[in-house]
Amino acid sequence: MNRGAWTAEEDKILSQYIKLHGPRRWKTLSIQSGLNRCGKSCRLRWLNYLRPNIKRGNISEAEEDLILRLHKLLGNRWALIAGRLPGRTDNEIKNYWNSHLSKKINQSQHQPSLSQQQQLQPPPPPQPPQENVPPPPPPKIQEEESKGNYFEFNFDTNEFIDFSAEGNFCEIDWVNTFLELDDELYELPC
DNA sequence: AACGAAGTCAACCGCTAATTT
DNA sequence: GAAATTAGCGGTTGACTTCGT
């Protein structure tokens, strides 16, 4: 099996095969196309680079803002976030987050807002343990927060938020309003 | 100019979920 | 219903590029 960077010739073979047979059955594709690549590699190459309408680079301020907001809402659900940014891939969003946005957030965390400063008040002194009294079960929300710096939603966000509307996502004002309302609830991830 | 450090990003890996047999 | 196969996801790696000294 070939590994590493794809060549232009391999891209051509993959594109031609998918044009004929469609983007599915990746294992079969990798064998029948003659590409000496594993199916997973073929799938990734198609999804991230070869499929139509892929946008590359130059993430706009509006897109960046939307990524920040969606990340605040959804956490590291890159595929879900990328699905709201036409032409962008989960891999690109993830890379952009790790190399650009996470730094921005770290910088902004070093300059806490007033509300954040209020949260930095020292915690109350620990209560002495009470004998023969079992500790209360931890609140459920605490358990779910421990999975990440965001709440685990037990509903389908696709049902909750209809993102099916095409066009300029900045026009979805109520989403922006909703996300702004979250500002006090969600801490930015580290 | 040369070198090492830091940054970027394409590709891979391991895992789970969904689908097919 | 069980097993096998396929698809998809997020985390991580490593090659390459850029920057600073």
Side-chain angles (χ1 to χ4, degrees), chain A residues 97-116:
Chain A
W97 179 271
N98 288 332
S99 58
H100 295 91
L101 298 182
S102 61
K103 278 179 215 160
K104 277 194 181 180
I105 285 166
N106 280 339
Q107 283 171 1
S108 67
Q109 277 183 332
H110 284 117
Q111 298 165 342
S113 64
L114 188 62
S115 61
Q116 284 172 320

Side-chain angles (χ1 to χ4, degrees), chain A residues 55 57-67 88 96 169:
Chain A
K55 271 194 246 173
N58 299 325
I59 290 180
S60 66
E61 280 185 31
E63 287 176 302
E64 186 178 303
D65 185 57
L66 188 62
I67 292 167
R88 301 295 184 186
Y96 189 74
F169 41 75

Side-chain angles (χ1 to χ4, degrees), chain A residues 38-50:
Chain A
C38 70
K40 276 178 117 175
S41 184
C42 294
R43 177 186 160 272
L44 202 69
R45 185 66 183 172
W46 170 257
L47 289 178
N48 287 346
Y49 300 96
L50 299 177

